[in-house]
Amino acid sequence: MRHVISPLDFSVEEIGQLLALADEIIANPAAYAHKCAGKKLATLFFEPSTRTRLSFEAAMLELGGQVLGFSSASSSSATKGESVADTVRIVQNYADIIAMRHPKEGAAAVARQFARVPVINAGDGGHLHPTQTLTDLLTIHRLKGRLSHLTVGLCGDLKFGRTVHSLIRAMLRYEGVRFVLVSPRELQVPAYIRTEMEAAGADFVQVESLEEHIAEMDVLYMTRVQQERFANVEDYLRLKDVYILDAAKMALAKPDMIVLHPLPRVNEIAHEVDDDPRAVYFRQALFGKYVRMALILTLLEEAEARPGLARAELPAASDTLVCRNPHCITTAENGIRQRFVQTAPGRWRCAWCEHDV
Ligand code: CP
């Protein structure tokens, strides 16, 4: 049995199997209509969502299972001070599998340590969003026919965009992928992602102009500037409309480039682009339901075949180091020990949110 906290919780081969299963479900949904009969999915959403929560719930219902949960922290006992750890310890008595979204980075990793049922990270702050990545990979694979030998442009808020971090992590493992990272300097990818790219020997450039680079791309992944992660509103207002993909920019792109967006969109894609056949973000959201069906089915089958959790080995707790990331789950809840992974001599990374200390 396993949890899904990061896209790296699956090998490349396992991702291939999940995408193939999603393809099979798309081709023959009736064959899967009762596969999860008698099983329950709990959706614990401490942060707003349209696509992720509803596609998880639709996925479980279309597998013949049932769903329960909450859609905001305000309707849960988090408002009374209940911790993530206690919440999952309770909910695992009511459900066979948990999908959890939380505004704090590392919250899903904390949940994993306390759950006896599989926990799926449905987004933890600005950190990771692995099921969006599965959605993105399924979309790219179905529409481009491959996950290797692609130039992938990622544009917008690459600092706080958890979908960006997850997609880079996943695609680093495919051969011949070149990344064009388009963002203002203040919204470049965080250090831990850049370090991973360098360590993997990735082919990447960090640029500020979308117009100058769009012609190189096979895939353009647009992102929203994440208002909810900014410390002050002035910075958000200054940066929010830096990139707007419109018909004029699309005219510079390859005829077979595809445009993805995890959504929701604000201003970063003009509505005139929606009618361009290269704009695939609404189909992408549909693929998200099918890949989540494949994921739920796979995790529940694994749990039945191999009961007992592979609980992650945690590094030793530290009484001297403190994670300074203001978005880390350790800043929000008492009782979570500070733990760090050594990444190089004298360099440490928070075991929960993965920010360098
Ligand atoms: N892509 C995505 O995570 O959308 P929601 O926030 O609506 O779930």
Side-chain angles (χ1 to χ4, degrees), residues 12-324:
V12 169
E13 189 187 4
E14 287 170 329
I15 285 188
Q17 289 163 357
L18 278 171
L19 302 190
L21 178 55
D23 285 334
E24 273 178 45
I25 295 170
I26 291 169
N28 190 7
Y32 294 87
H34 306 288
K35 291 279 186 189
C36 288
K39 299 289 185 188
K40 283 175 282 183
L41 164 76
T43 50
L44 312 184
F45 277 60
F46 297 88
E47 192 182 60
S49 165
T50 296
R51 274 146 296 276
T52 310
R53 185 174 66 83
L54 294 179
S55 67
F56 260 117
E57 295 186 357
M60 191 52 156
L61 294 172
E62 290 189 27
L63 289 166
Q66 293 172 296
V67 297
L68 66 160
F70 51 82
S71 59
S72 70
S74 63
S75 61
S76 79
S77 286
T79 51
K80 304 171 202 163
E82 187 162 48
S83 66
V84 165
D86 284 358
T87 303
V88 298
R89 277 192 279 222
I90 298 305
V91 173
Q92 66 190 352
N93 298 315
Y94 311 146
D96 302 284
I97 186 164
I98 294 172
M100 189 184 95
R101 171 172 290 188
H102 198 282
K104 290 293 176 185
E105 299 175 10
V110 170
R112 171 183 59 194
Q113 293 310 118
F114 294 93
R116 283 181 286 102
V117 300
V119 171
I120 303 169
N121 180 7
D124 60 329
H127 183 213
L128 294 171
H129 192 347
T131 66
Q132 180 64 48
T133 300
L134 293 174
T135 302
D136 304 337
L137 295 178
L138 180 64
T139 306
I140 295 169
H141 194 257
R142 284 183 72 86
L143 302 182
K144 299 299 292 181
R146 64 191 190 280
L147 294 172
S148 53
H149 301 290
L150 291 166
T151 294
V152 180
L154 298 111
C155 177
D157 184 350
L158 310 189
K159 178 180 180 183
F160 295 120
R162 58 194 174 198
T163 64
V164 167
H165 310 155
S166 287
L167 185 59
I168 290 173
R169 255 191 184 169
M171 292 208 76
L172 273 177
R173 301 187 293 179
Y174 295 90
E175 200 183 331
V177 174
R178 178 168 180 264
F179 298 93
V180 181
L181 306 178
V182 187
S183 74
R185 292 180 70 81
E186 292 140 287
L187 296 181
Q188 288 180 344
V189 290
Y192 71 90
I193 293 293
R194 195 188 153 104
T195 306
E196 277 179 38
M197 297 181 86
E198 288 166 351
D203 180 0
F204 74 96
V205 287
Q206 292 183 290
V207 299
E208 294 193 43
S209 167
L210 178 58
E211 287 94 324
E212 285 174 19
H213 294 273
I214 194 168
E216 303 160 24
M217 299 172 188
D218 300 303
V219 176
L220 170 56
Y221 196 86
M222 290 298 294
T223 62
R224 173 178 67 93
V225 176
Q226 307 268 309
Q227 179 177 10
E228 63 275 31
R229 316 269 179 236
F230 276 74
N232 70 69
V233 75
E234 291 78 20
D235 285 344
Y236 169 70
L237 293 175
R238 187 168 46 79
L239 294 167
K240 73 184 178 70
D241 291 330
V242 170
Y243 301 107
I244 298 180
L245 182 66
D246 56 15
K249 292 192 190 76
M250 288 296 284
L252 304 172
K254 290 181 184 176
D256 63 347
M257 182 192 77
I258 54 173
V259 182
L260 278 70
H261 190 311
L263 304 178
R265 141 187 66 186
V266 187
N267 287 330
E268 60 280 358
I269 300 182
H271 289 265
E272 65 193 17
V273 176
D274 296 354
D275 295 328
D276 189 310
R278 295 170 290 180
V280 302
Y281 26 89
F282 294 119
R283 291 167 76 190
Q284 180 186 355
L286 173 60
F287 292 143
K289 180 184 72 174
Y290 292 115
V291 88
R292 289 183 175 101
M293 289 174 78
L295 177 65
I296 292 168
L297 190 53
T298 300
L299 294 181
L300 287 177
E301 281 179 356
E302 280 184 6
E304 225 162 83
R306 297 197 296 275
L309 274 168
R311 192 154 287 177
E313 286 287 324
L314 288 178
S318 170
D319 292 323
T320 49
L321 292 174
V322 175
C323 180
R324 300 282 178 207

